[in-house]
Amino acid sequence: MSEAKKKLLGLFRRNTKVEKTSREKDSSSPRSRYDKERTHHRHRRGSSSGSRSRDRRRSSSQSPRRESHSRSVRSSRRDRDRSRSAHTRDSRRQSIATFVLTSWPPPGYPKDSNLSQGKAMEFIASGAPVFKGHKQPIPHASDEYYTLYATASGSGQAGGDGRELLHGVFGVCSFNLHGKGLAIDPWDTLEQPSMGFCYGYWPGTITLNNWASLSGNPSPGIRLKDPGVQPRQVALSTILERLIYLESGFEEDYEDLMYKNLYKNLLRDPEKYSNPHKAMEKQIADLIIVLSRHEWIDFSKPENQVVAKFFSNNTYTDHGRYQLFFHQLLLSTELDLRIHSKHHTDWAKQKLLAQLPPCIAWDLALARRWHECMSIEKFDTEGDSKQIRFHLRAKKSQIKALRKFAKTLKWPNLPIITSVLKETDSNAKPLEDRSSDTMSYFTGMILPGVTLPWLLMNTLIDCDVDASSLAALTHMHPNSGFQYKSTTYWSSSCIVGKVLGPTCKDIAGWIGPGRPAPDLGRVQIARIRQRTPKLNLRSSHVESMMIRSDPLGPPSSSYPVAEYHLPIADPTDIVDTIRIEKLALKPISKDLPVPSPSTSTISTSGKPQTYDAAVQFAIAGRSWPLRLSYDVSFVASHPCSRGPHPLFFDYVYQAVPVDEILTIKDWGGLNSPGGADGKPTSIAGGKEGDESTLSIEPRHEREEDEKEKVLVIEAFGVADNEVLARAWCSHWGLSAVICDIRRTCMACAIREAYAACLNVVVMIGDGEQPDSD
């Protein structure tokens, strides 16, 4: 027996009690080590605050943001965080009096007084989100491969930073490996980064977890090899008959029959005479080995994730490719049913699923989607032309979701779409037969990942006879959008959509209806050239996220009131002199003709053209164009409760009105050779955070602060103000936190920027309750 098969069998035979004991042993942390760290790192300032600030940032010389207080904190970070979490929960339970602060210090506390641990938790950290990063290894891969995640807790019932689904169908973009329904944690999903924890609360934004996950380093495909197990050559009729039989379950209670049906028809048992593989765990191992062979379709690759192109041919005369698909589907179904057998414990199932190679996990997703959405009614495999008739279990719900999608985006031909979706014309082609995209969508055969938004939009286009020129949209080019009847629509992965998001709707990965683009034809696709930002999050930043963004700062037995201040933004101070003039698109190739409003998608190569995008603003009577150069991200801030919250003095920031950001060049020093030296650090009218603290620090520490300082842009009021802030960020390559003052206070947004290693916070809102839409 090979080593790979022994590993797989061991997952089901291992004693869960031993594993539980091991986990309990790993989770223990010596209290003495934590106390030692607290004593060593909590150097409170007397009359000055420089010592504590320097302890926090001294270890950040090799990164764009501070990593931790010192090397000893990093070496035992997990023990300290676990102890801090337990202490935080206990303190919050003991806190009875909770009220909203309007000034600092709190009533009854002089500025030179100290707060106890309990009072500090009550006045400073109660209701403030705590951000924590997670790093997990990739199974069967070296240490250089890993995934990154971020979670937030502590804000009570305030909600999260993600967006609720407008329809249940939109949830199929994420696949929960361990059961049905949506995953509770982002590491429980097959696709990474997890699409279930991707879209942020506001249009054009993402979640903190998605921002962290983008910096992970997942492993390339891993294939197991064991020449002892070979698949049999199986007739298409046998495959289809077995798929129909498995729709109602399999022979898990009849060992001999289960063995016969698997090894007589599908696999070859290498130990048939010496040690037959009648045990279910051996059959699971054999199926995994066979499905890891190179001849199967790898559904983890984006180019293979439009599933219907493998089975939507009405005559099935594509030289046997369809038979390979159904053969792989059958083996995957056999494996999925055995893994989820009632004879296996939940722990064993979860352990095995977490250790599967990526290609096998995607096969299981395919099998489960087929079982939920499809069934075979009848088939004819006689002669050269073979036909299969399917029953589409999910078609009605798919139609409702598409109708919701079209209404939300205010599709120009909405009456025509509504009529087509009713299928009242008996002479019209069935909806699912119009293309492989419509077949994938209406059958529900949608694999997790980035394909759902494109299947939705392409299906909508295929149902609109006037939009046939837009058929070249594909998920292989996510930085795309199009103009249709003087309205533009953009992918949420495209920087134009991210920037124009505040003026549009955002649903299922599409942003629109957007303002028209005069440089495009009436019906035309546009691909946008966008560069990768220079500042990237690293695994060390994610792992130290909780330390670098702690509401209280370093732990201590007492907390001086003078080390905190209460930043309060004024959402009534609105700038009303900014308006968007136009969206400008310039073709990259100079020899390409500029299309007229009456033309459709035209290029010399027959493919959609690529453009440089810019947004032109009118600011106080002057025109200001901002080029959307970088593919930056905008992170929706996590909400807090019982705010505003005080801010620790070491979180330095500078607040400016949105109409003054055009005078700021290269914030953070990303694009200048001298780092932060080329960046203006003081703006007329800007508000500094804790200036007295910075003035007494040595020069090299002030320079470090300038690199880490957060720019808070006050973009209250009309949506054009926020669009200007986002366009400025894209122009300079700066990702930002988007904070609505109605959900998150300024202090918590600044701390989240420190947690995410971002240098910009954009404050929005008008002081009223946010629109539930």
Side-chain angles (χ1 to χ4, degrees), residues 322-439:
Y322 63 91
Q323 183 164 344
L324 178 68
F325 169 80
F326 284 114
H327 194 177
Q328 183 174 351
L329 173 63
L330 175 57
L331 293 176
S332 303
T333 303
E334 298 274 9
L335 175 60
D336 186 59
L337 291 173
R338 282 166 171 78
I339 290 177
H340 292 90
S341 170
K342 62 184 180 182
H343 300 301
H344 296 145
T345 63
D346 292 339
W347 175 86
K349 297 175 188 177
Q350 294 179 7
K351 188 70 173 178
L352 175 62
L353 291 170
Q355 297 295 322
L356 288 177
C359 61
I360 305 298
W362 283 89
D363 287 339
L364 295 182
L366 175 72
R368 203 179 302 177
R369 286 278 191 265
W370 184 277
H371 180 71
E372 294 171 353
C373 303
M374 298 281 286
S375 65
I376 300 174
E377 291 186 344
K378 63 180 181 179
F379 60 89
D380 181 12
T381 59
E382 300 296 332
D384 295 334
S385 180
K386 302 176 176 61
Q387 295 184 349
I388 306 175
R389 182 176 177 180
F390 303 107
H391 172 63
L392 312 185
R393 298 174 178 171
K395 184 175 179 179
K396 289 185 178 180
S397 61
Q398 300 295 114
I399 291 176
K400 291 181 181 179
L402 185 63
R403 190 181 293 116
K404 177 70 174 180
F405 180 73
K407 287 183 178 179
T408 303
L409 292 179
K410 299 180 180 179
W411 191 252
N413 274 2
L414 186 59
I416 295 178
I417 295 296
T418 303
S419 176
V420 170
L421 293 180
K422 291 180 180 178
E423 292 189 288
T424 55
D425 186 358
S426 59
N427 296 323
K429 183 182 293 187
L431 295 176
E432 62 272 15
D433 291 338
R434 298 180 179 228
S435 67
S436 60
D437 288 325
T438 58
M439 177 64 80

Side-chain angles (χ1 to χ4, degrees), residues 103-410:
S103 62
W104 189 262
Y109 290 86
K111 195 168 184 178
D112 58 350
S113 62
N114 292 338
L115 296 176
S116 64
Q117 177 80 24
K119 287 299 180 181
M121 291 298 303
E122 177 182 341
F123 292 134
I124 301 171
S126 180
V130 177
F131 310 104
K132 187 172 183 179
H134 309 265
K135 178 181 178 181
Q136 293 193 4
I138 301 292
H140 315 295
S142 59
D143 293 339
E144 62 179 313
Y145 300 109
Y146 51 84
T147 52
L148 300 175
Y149 309 96
T151 57
S153 60
S155 56
Q157 303 299 320
D161 56 353
R163 189 182 318 130
E164 293 185 2
L165 297 175
L166 292 182
H167 197 282
V169 168
F170 301 151
V172 300
C173 63
S174 185
F175 182 78
N176 184 2
L177 271 174
H178 304 300
K180 296 182 180 181
L182 299 177
I184 299 177
D185 298 308
W187 46 82
D188 290 334
T189 63
L190 170 60
E191 77 289 346
Q192 293 297 334
S194 174
M195 296 299 295
F197 300 82
C198 173
Y199 301 116
Y201 190 84
W202 303 110
T205 64
I206 60 175
T207 62
L208 178 64
N209 173 77
N210 188 257
W211 169 251
S213 298
L214 292 175
S215 298
N217 186 24
S219 170
I222 301 172
R223 293 189 180 277
L224 305 179
K225 295 182 180 180
D226 188 351
V229 182
Q230 300 286 340
R232 293 180 182 270
Q233 295 295 327
V234 188
L236 179 60
S237 58
T238 303
I239 294 173
L240 298 178
E241 287 174 357
R242 181 64 177 169
L243 281 172
I244 294 174
Y245 177 82
L246 292 178
E247 290 177 3
S248 57
F250 78 119
E251 320 85 352
E252 58 182 328
D253 294 325
Y254 304 94
E255 187 178 78
D256 293 336
L257 182 58
M258 181 174 61
Y259 174 84
K260 177 182 177 181
N261 287 336
L262 181 62
Y263 290 98
K264 182 179 179 180
N265 299 323
L266 301 178
L267 303 182
R268 298 183 187 274
D269 187 352
E271 300 176 312
K272 178 179 179 180
Y273 300 104
S274 59
N275 184 22
H277 294 180
K278 292 187 177 182
M280 196 179 299
E281 60 266 26
K282 290 186 177 182
Q283 297 176 12
I284 289 174
D286 288 344
L287 286 166
I288 290 176
I289 298 300
V290 168
L291 284 170
S292 298
R293 297 173 63 87
H294 62 86
E295 62 260 30
W296 303 113
I297 304 168
D298 188 355
F299 290 103
S300 65
K301 295 181 178 180
E303 59 267 25
N304 293 331
Q305 291 181 357
V306 181
V307 180
K309 67 183 181 182
F310 298 105
F311 69 86
S312 61
N313 191 334
N314 287 333
T315 58
Y316 293 94
T317 57
D318 56 348
H319 306 289
R321 194 182 189 193
Y322 63 91
Q323 183 164 344
L324 178 68
F325 169 80
F326 284 114
H327 194 177
Q328 183 174 351
L329 173 63
L330 175 57
L331 293 176
S332 303
T333 303
E334 298 274 9
L335 175 60
D336 186 59
L337 291 173
R338 282 166 171 78
I339 290 177
H340 292 90
S341 170
K342 62 184 180 182
H343 300 301
H344 296 145
T345 63
D346 292 339
W347 175 86
K349 297 175 188 177
Q350 294 179 7
K351 188 70 173 178
L352 175 62
L353 291 170
Q355 297 295 322
L356 288 177
C359 61
I360 305 298
W362 283 89
D363 287 339
L364 295 182
L366 175 72
R368 203 179 302 177
R369 286 278 191 265
W370 184 277
H371 180 71
E372 294 171 353
C373 303
M374 298 281 286
S375 65
I376 300 174
E377 291 186 344
K378 63 180 181 179
F379 60 89
D380 181 12
T381 59
E382 300 296 332
D384 295 334
S385 180
K386 302 176 176 61
Q387 295 184 349
I388 306 175
R389 182 176 177 180
F390 303 107
H391 172 63
L392 312 185
R393 298 174 178 171
K395 184 175 179 179
K396 289 185 178 180
S397 61
Q398 300 295 114
I399 291 176
K400 291 181 181 179
L402 185 63
R403 190 181 293 116
K404 177 70 174 180
F405 180 73
K407 287 183 178 179
T408 303
L409 292 179
K410 299 180 180 179

Side-chain angles (χ1 to χ4, degrees), residues 215 309 325 360 378 424 466 478 495 501 508 550 587 640 655 694 699 710:
S215 298
K309 67 183 181 182
F325 169 80
I360 305 298
K378 63 180 181 179
T424 55
D466 296 337
I495 187 57
D550 195 302
C640 65
L694 300 177
R699 177 181 177 183
V710 173

Side-chain angles (χ1 to χ4, degrees), residues 161 163 199-207 490-506 510-512 530 533 578 580 583 613-617 619 624-637 657-659 661-662 711-716 718-740 742 760-765:
D161 56 353
R163 189 182 318 130
Y199 301 116
Y201 190 84
W202 303 110
T205 64
I206 60 175
T207 62
W490 303 95
S491 164
S492 61
S493 302
C494 178
I495 187 57
V496 178
K498 296 177 185 179
V499 170
L500 296 181
T503 63
C504 307
K505 299 290 186 179
D506 187 349
W510 281 93
I511 297 174
Q530 49 195 36
I578 299 172
I580 302 174
L583 171 62
V615 180
Q616 185 168 311
F617 296 88
I619 304 177
W624 290 83
L626 283 176
R627 181 177 173 182
L628 309 184
S629 303
Y630 293 92
D631 181 26
V632 296
S633 297
F634 301 107
V635 180
S637 64
V658 66
D659 57 346
I661 60 174
L662 295 178
L711 178 66
V712 179
I713 303 174
E714 298 173 345
F716 304 115
V718 296
D720 294 34
N721 292 345
E722 184 183 353
V723 173
L724 173 62
R726 294 194 187 193
W728 179 86
C729 290
S730 176
H731 180 82
W732 289 106
L734 295 168
S735 296
V737 173
I738 304 298
C739 168
D740 193 305
R742 298 164 293 186
V760 180
V761 170
V762 180
M763 304 289 294
I764 62 173

